[in-house]
Amino acid sequence: MLELADPLFLLLLPLPLLARRLLGPAALAGSALRVPDGIGEALLAAGRGAAGAGPLQQRRIMIWVVWGLMLLALSGPRDLAPVPALKVSGRDLAIVLDLSGSMVRDDFALDGQQVTRLEAVTTVGADFARRRGGDRLALIVFGSEAYYAAPFTFDTDAVARRIEEAAIGVSGRATNISDGLGLALKRMADSDAETRVVILLSDGVNNAGATNPRGVAELAARMGVRVHTIALGPKDRATAEEGERGVVDAATLRAISEISGGESFRVKTTDDLIAVTEALDRLEATDSDGLSAEVYRDYWPWPAAVAALLCLGLAWREGA
């Protein structure tokens, strides 16, 4: 419903009439030219014919309209815009992403084209993040070291963009699963969220850091943090030949999820990865009621713009 933010401004509408009555007409200043009576009458008649009552009346009406529009703009016409409630799940969800050197292997296919593991993960992962409306998301990336790439926020699109921008090398080329998970738990230590969840994705074997991944998983269990793990890559360490590179330690990732009360997923293709994100959507559903906000839509620019155009029109007529 349309309303005025400051309707008292409309009380100023009769101000010009009061000012004219109280102050009187302005005295004309300037020199006078004395002319014969006949010439003076001719000049006055010509002036009345040129000005005319009609144009003068129109000018007065336009000035009053401009004054009214200016007061209307100052009074702030607005209405309450309908804003859907933001769904709030009460969940803190940290995405822990492996950016080790093995993520450059191009053994995945996306839309019929051969892509690297990183390209597949960033494409699918960003889409997953954008669907998490209502969750507070954070992004941690790890290689040799772990880094906090995006703080906890309800702006899921911002986190998705950071996932899309992820690049190999910013955190080293080794695989430090323990530090990546540990940093996520550190950031969740002071969280008052009802539910705290970590999604850990790795395509390698923990080969950096001084902490055992299983020990970090036990800490997660004591904190009440569920860790869902995704083992990414077509070859598993348990079945690969000795010394073979680019294999994933699915057993360790499975142990992390079992200790913490989460789920473990094995991903060998892009279709598997998409299926995992859909499964996680079901496991960590976001359907919940949130708080609506009152947001006003302002209309004052419209009367202000019309008043400005009328002023320009008056100035043009005066100069013509």
Side-chain angles (χ1 to χ4, degrees):
M1 180 179 179
L2 195 65
E3 62 179 45
L4 299 177
D6 298 295
L8 294 179
F9 276 106
L10 297 180
L11 296 177
L12 299 176
L13 189 62
L15 183 61
L17 289 176
L18 294 175
R20 183 177 181 180
R21 178 177 294 274
L22 295 176
L23 299 178
L28 297 176
S31 302
L33 176 64
R34 191 178 290 274
V35 296
D37 292 342
I39 297 176
E41 291 178 0
L43 289 174
L44 289 173
R48 287 192 295 269
L56 183 61
Q57 186 68 16
Q58 292 176 6
R59 181 174 179 274
R60 289 175 178 173
I61 292 174
M62 289 182 67
I63 291 175
W64 275 105
V65 171
V66 169
W67 176 245
L69 289 172
M70 290 174 60
L71 292 179
L72 181 60
L74 288 172
S75 66
R78 64 183 184 178
D79 69 354
L80 194 60
V83 177
L86 173 66
K87 292 184 177 182
V88 179
S89 67
R91 179 189 298 109
D92 278 356
L93 192 154
I95 300 174
V96 182
L97 181 60
D98 186 346
L99 291 184
S100 60
S102 56
M103 291 289 284
V104 299
R105 291 180 177 271
D106 57 349
D107 49 10
F108 270 68
L110 187 64
D111 295 330
Q113 295 183 343
Q114 200 76 7
V115 297
T116 65
R117 298 177 182 181
L118 179 63
E119 290 173 320
V121 167
T122 54
T123 301
V124 178
D127 181 64
F128 170 77
R130 289 189 172 95
R131 297 200 304 269
R132 303 307 303 178
D135 288 346
R136 280 206 323 154
L137 291 189
L139 176 64
I140 291 94
V141 299
F142 69 92
S144 304
E145 306 289 341
Y147 295 96
Y148 203 39
F152 279 104
T153 176
F154 286 108
D155 190 351
T156 56
D157 193 60
V159 177
R161 289 196 300 269
R162 296 305 299 269
I163 294 174
E164 291 170 337
E165 295 166 359
I168 303 296
V170 296
S171 55
R173 303 184 71 84
T175 305
N176 192 345
I177 296 175
S178 301
D179 281 9
L181 179 56
L183 182 57
L185 296 179
K186 181 179 180 180
R187 294 293 181 176
M188 289 181 166
D190 298 326
S191 171
D192 57 358
E194 297 177 7
T195 306
R196 293 173 293 174
V197 177
V198 173
I199 297 176
L200 169 63
L201 186 147
S202 178
D203 73 330
V205 178
N206 188 74
N207 56 15
T211 309
N212 188 300
R214 287 178 171 82
V216 184
E218 292 172 359
L219 174 61
R222 290 194 296 271
M223 292 176 59
V225 178
R226 287 196 302 272
V227 182
H228 302 304
T229 60
I230 302 173
L232 179 72
K235 295 185 179 180
D236 196 325
R237 183 185 186 188
T239 57
E241 297 180 3
E242 186 176 353
E244 188 172 357
R245 301 174 64 85
V247 298
V248 61
D249 189 358
T252 296
L253 294 175
R254 185 165 52 252
I256 292 172
S257 61
E258 289 175 352
I259 292 170
S260 63
E263 296 288 335
S264 179
F265 301 92
R266 184 73 176 89
V267 172
K268 298 182 180 181
T269 66
T270 306
D271 290 339
D272 291 342
L273 186 59
I274 295 172
V276 166
T277 61
E278 293 173 351
L280 289 171
D281 280 336
R282 292 190 295 271
L283 282 172
E284 306 294 345
T286 58
D287 291 335
S288 59
D289 293 330
L291 300 176
S292 59
E294 292 187 350
V295 178
Y296 285 99
R297 183 187 292 114
D298 292 317
Y299 293 106
W300 67 263
W302 296 102
V306 175
L309 290 175
L310 289 176
C311 286
L312 290 175
L314 282 171
W316 180 79
R317 290 186 60 179
E318 292 292 333

PDB file of all heavy atoms in Angstrom, residues 12 17 28 41 94 104 140 146 168 174 184 191 237 303 313 315 317:
ATOM      1  N   LEU A  12       3.546  22.409   3.825  1.00  0.00           N
ATOM      2  CA  LEU A  12       4.214  23.584   3.275  1.00  0.00           C
ATOM      3  C   LEU A  12       3.591  24.053   1.961  1.00  0.00           C
ATOM      4  O   LEU A  12       4.052  25.041   1.385  1.00  0.00           O
ATOM      5  CB  LEU A  12       5.701  23.287   3.055  1.00  0.00           C
ATOM      6  CG  LEU A  12       6.522  22.927   4.296  1.00  0.00           C
ATOM      7  CD1 LEU A  12       7.945  22.565   3.887  1.00  0.00           C
ATOM      8  CD2 LEU A  12       6.529  24.091   5.279  1.00  0.00           C
ATOM      9  N   LEU A  17       1.761  31.380  -0.863  1.00  0.00           N
ATOM     10  CA  LEU A  17       0.673  32.339  -0.669  1.00  0.00           C
ATOM     11  C   LEU A  17       0.875  33.145   0.611  1.00  0.00           C
ATOM     12  O   LEU A  17       0.662  34.367   0.642  1.00  0.00           O
ATOM     13  CB  LEU A  17      -0.667  31.600  -0.622  1.00  0.00           C
ATOM     14  CG  LEU A  17      -1.161  31.000  -1.946  1.00  0.00           C
ATOM     15  CD1 LEU A  17      -2.444  30.228  -1.715  1.00  0.00           C
ATOM     16  CD2 LEU A  17      -1.364  32.103  -2.982  1.00  0.00           C
ATOM     17  N   LEU A  28      10.112  46.973  -7.745  1.00  0.00           N
ATOM     18  CA  LEU A  28      10.894  46.920  -8.966  1.00  0.00           C
ATOM     19  C   LEU A  28      11.991  47.971  -8.919  1.00  0.00           C
ATOM     20  O   LEU A  28      11.747  49.136  -8.589  1.00  0.00           O
ATOM     21  CB  LEU A  28       9.997  47.171 -10.181  1.00  0.00           C
ATOM     22  CG  LEU A  28       8.897  46.136 -10.423  1.00  0.00           C
ATOM     23  CD1 LEU A  28       8.028  46.572 -11.599  1.00  0.00           C
ATOM     24  CD2 LEU A  28       9.523  44.776 -10.692  1.00  0.00           C
ATOM     25  N   GLU A  41       1.265  54.784 -24.006  1.00  0.00           N
ATOM     26  CA  GLU A  41       0.069  53.938 -24.131  1.00  0.00           C
ATOM     27  C   GLU A  41       0.251  52.865 -25.192  1.00  0.00           C
ATOM     28  O   GLU A  41      -0.201  51.730 -25.037  1.00  0.00           O
ATOM     29  CB  GLU A  41      -1.132  54.829 -24.472  1.00  0.00           C
ATOM     30  CG  GLU A  41      -1.554  55.741 -23.327  1.00  0.00           C
ATOM     31  CD  GLU A  41      -2.709  56.648 -23.717  1.00  0.00           C
ATOM     32  OE1 GLU A  41      -3.153  56.538 -24.892  1.00  0.00           O
ATOM     33  OE2 GLU A  41      -3.166  57.446 -22.873  1.00  0.00           O
ATOM     34  N   ALA A  94      31.043 -26.322   5.794  1.00  0.00           N
ATOM     35  CA  ALA A  94      32.358 -25.975   5.252  1.00  0.00           C
ATOM     36  C   ALA A  94      32.720 -26.938   4.133  1.00  0.00           C
ATOM     37  O   ALA A  94      32.661 -28.162   4.314  1.00  0.00           O
ATOM     38  CB  ALA A  94      33.414 -26.024   6.343  1.00  0.00           C
ATOM     39  N   VAL A 104      45.232 -31.691 -11.639  1.00  0.00           N
ATOM     40  CA  VAL A 104      45.370 -31.267 -13.041  1.00  0.00           C
ATOM     41  C   VAL A 104      45.191 -32.431 -14.011  1.00  0.00           C
ATOM     42  O   VAL A 104      45.164 -32.223 -15.235  1.00  0.00           O
ATOM     43  CB  VAL A 104      46.738 -30.601 -13.287  1.00  0.00           C
ATOM     44  CG1 VAL A 104      46.895 -29.369 -12.422  1.00  0.00           C
ATOM     45  CG2 VAL A 104      47.879 -31.584 -13.035  1.00  0.00           C
ATOM     46  N   ILE A 140      37.390 -23.884   2.349  1.00  0.00           N
ATOM     47  CA  ILE A 140      38.791 -24.100   2.728  1.00  0.00           C
ATOM     48  C   ILE A 140      39.453 -24.874   1.605  1.00  0.00           C
ATOM     49  O   ILE A 140      38.892 -25.862   1.102  1.00  0.00           O
ATOM     50  CB  ILE A 140      38.912 -24.875   4.058  1.00  0.00           C
ATOM     51  CG1 ILE A 140      38.428 -24.012   5.235  1.00  0.00           C
ATOM     52  CG2 ILE A 140      40.358 -25.299   4.307  1.00  0.00           C
ATOM     53  CD1 ILE A 140      37.010 -24.217   5.609  1.00  0.00           C
ATOM     54  N   ALA A 146      46.890 -25.424   4.217  1.00  0.00           N
ATOM     55  CA  ALA A 146      45.447 -25.181   4.143  1.00  0.00           C
ATOM     56  C   ALA A 146      45.182 -23.687   4.304  1.00  0.00           C
ATOM     57  O   ALA A 146      45.837 -23.019   5.117  1.00  0.00           O
ATOM     58  CB  ALA A 146      44.712 -25.967   5.217  1.00  0.00           C
ATOM     59  N   ILE A 168      45.244 -24.452  -9.101  1.00  0.00           N
ATOM     60  CA  ILE A 168      46.310 -25.299  -8.567  1.00  0.00           C
ATOM     61  C   ILE A 168      47.528 -24.430  -8.256  1.00  0.00           C
ATOM     62  O   ILE A 168      47.875 -23.523  -9.001  1.00  0.00           O
ATOM     63  CB  ILE A 168      46.692 -26.397  -9.581  1.00  0.00           C
ATOM     64  CG1 ILE A 168      45.462 -27.238  -9.941  1.00  0.00           C
ATOM     65  CG2 ILE A 168      47.796 -27.280  -9.022  1.00  0.00           C
ATOM     66  CD1 ILE A 168      44.889 -28.013  -8.819  1.00  0.00           C
ATOM     67  N   ALA A 174      51.310 -30.694  -2.656  1.00  0.00           N
ATOM     68  CA  ALA A 174      51.152 -31.928  -1.885  1.00  0.00           C
ATOM     69  C   ALA A 174      49.695 -32.056  -1.423  1.00  0.00           C
ATOM     70  O   ALA A 174      48.846 -31.224  -1.763  1.00  0.00           O
ATOM     71  CB  ALA A 174      52.118 -31.943  -0.709  1.00  0.00           C
ATOM     72  N   ALA A 184      39.008 -26.350   9.040  1.00  0.00           N
ATOM     73  CA  ALA A 184      37.545 -26.252   9.047  1.00  0.00           C
ATOM     74  C   ALA A 184      37.001 -26.410  10.468  1.00  0.00           C
ATOM     75  O   ALA A 184      36.111 -25.667  10.903  1.00  0.00           O
ATOM     76  CB  ALA A 184      36.947 -27.306   8.126  1.00  0.00           C
ATOM     77  N   SER A 191      31.288 -21.753  16.706  1.00  0.00           N
ATOM     78  CA  SER A 191      29.995 -21.619  16.035  1.00  0.00           C
ATOM     79  C   SER A 191      28.866 -22.056  16.960  1.00  0.00           C
ATOM     80  O   SER A 191      28.979 -23.041  17.697  1.00  0.00           O
ATOM     81  CB  SER A 191      29.977 -22.461  14.756  1.00  0.00           C
ATOM     82  OG  SER A 191      28.675 -22.512  14.215  1.00  0.00           O
ATOM     83  N   ARG A 237      43.795 -46.384  -4.207  1.00  0.00           N
ATOM     84  CA  ARG A 237      45.091 -46.792  -3.682  1.00  0.00           C
ATOM     85  C   ARG A 237      45.114 -48.280  -3.331  1.00  0.00           C
ATOM     86  O   ARG A 237      46.141 -48.955  -3.502  1.00  0.00           O
ATOM     87  CB  ARG A 237      45.417 -45.961  -2.440  1.00  0.00           C
ATOM     88  CG  ARG A 237      46.788 -46.255  -1.841  1.00  0.00           C
ATOM     89  CD  ARG A 237      46.973 -45.480  -0.554  1.00  0.00           C
ATOM     90  NE  ARG A 237      48.317 -45.618  -0.029  1.00  0.00           N
ATOM     91  CZ  ARG A 237      48.721 -45.189   1.149  1.00  0.00           C
ATOM     92  NH1 ARG A 237      47.850 -44.562   1.945  1.00  0.00           N
ATOM     93  NH2 ARG A 237      49.967 -45.360   1.559  1.00  0.00           N
ATOM     94  N   PRO A 303       8.219  12.016  -8.933  1.00  0.00           N
ATOM     95  CA  PRO A 303       7.771  13.419  -8.885  1.00  0.00           C
ATOM     96  C   PRO A 303       8.931  14.407  -8.977  1.00  0.00           C
ATOM     97  O   PRO A 303       8.781  15.491  -9.550  1.00  0.00           O
ATOM     98  CB  PRO A 303       7.055  13.523  -7.531  1.00  0.00           C
ATOM     99  CG  PRO A 303       7.537  12.366  -6.737  1.00  0.00           C
ATOM    100  CD  PRO A 303       7.823  11.282  -7.718  1.00  0.00           C
ATOM    101  N   GLY A 313      11.298  23.289 -18.803  1.00  0.00           N
ATOM    102  CA  GLY A 313      10.334  23.838 -19.742  1.00  0.00           C
ATOM    103  C   GLY A 313      10.070  25.312 -19.478  1.00  0.00           C
ATOM    104  O   GLY A 313       9.979  26.120 -20.416  1.00  0.00           O
ATOM    105  N   ALA A 315      12.129  27.406 -18.012  1.00  0.00           N
ATOM    106  CA  ALA A 315      13.335  28.160 -18.387  1.00  0.00           C
ATOM    107  C   ALA A 315      13.422  28.353 -19.901  1.00  0.00           C
ATOM    108  O   ALA A 315      13.815  29.427 -20.394  1.00  0.00           O
ATOM    109  CB  ALA A 315      14.578  27.430 -17.868  1.00  0.00           C
ATOM    110  N   ARG A 317      10.869  28.494 -22.009  1.00  0.00           N
ATOM    111  CA  ARG A 317       9.851  29.476 -22.441  1.00  0.00           C
ATOM    112  C   ARG A 317      10.278  30.896 -22.103  1.00  0.00           C
ATOM    113  O   ARG A 317      10.035  31.826 -22.871  1.00  0.00           O
ATOM    114  CB  ARG A 317       8.518  29.153 -21.764  1.00  0.00           C
ATOM    115  CG  ARG A 317       7.859  27.883 -22.284  1.00  0.00           C
ATOM    116  CD  ARG A 317       6.481  27.693 -21.698  1.00  0.00           C
ATOM    117  NE  ARG A 317       5.603  28.820 -22.030  1.00  0.00           N
ATOM    118  CZ  ARG A 317       4.325  28.891 -21.642  1.00  0.00           C
ATOM    119  NH1 ARG A 317       3.808  27.909 -20.912  1.00  0.00           N
ATOM    120  NH2 ARG A 317       3.586  29.917 -21.985  1.00  0.00           N
TER     121      ARG A 317
END
